[in-house]
Amino acid sequence: MIRQALPQAQQRGDRNSFQDVSAKPGNTGIMITARRYSHLKNYTSPWAILVTKQQAGDWKISAEIVETRP
């Protein structure tokens, strides 16, 4: 779905910028937080992802917490 929607989003100018990015290690992985600014909708909201290391040694985004507006 993302591959299909990406060209349309780019054409509309739908992009985000991130500020105040920080990363904090925890028991289950690394929590990365930031303030996300939507250029298309002109608003700022909190954003976070939890990145965890898998048994094979690779990293995976295990959770994403975002706030969006219509």
Side-chain angles (χ1 to χ4, degrees):
M1 288 175 55
I2 291 175
R3 287 184 184 159
Q4 293 172 347
L6 190 57
Q8 295 169 354
Q10 288 175 330
Q11 191 175 36
R12 291 189 338 237
D14 191 359
R15 63 188 183 93
N16 297 304
S17 296
F18 296 87
Q19 298 175 339
D20 301 328
V21 178
S22 68
K24 295 180 184 176
N27 294 337
T28 58
I30 299 172
M31 181 65 75
I32 302 170
T33 60
R35 289 186 313 123
R36 178 181 66 95
Y37 175 72
S38 170
H39 292 268
L40 179 66
K41 297 181 180 178
N42 193 30
Y43 73 92
T44 301
S45 64
W47 174 90
I49 59 172
L50 174 63
V51 183
T52 56
K53 192 168 188 176
Q54 305 301 294
Q55 288 182 345
D58 53 335
W59 290 86
K60 172 185 173 184
I61 297 174
S62 299
E64 182 178 23
I65 304 164
V66 297
E67 177 184 301
T68 60
R69 296 181 187 169

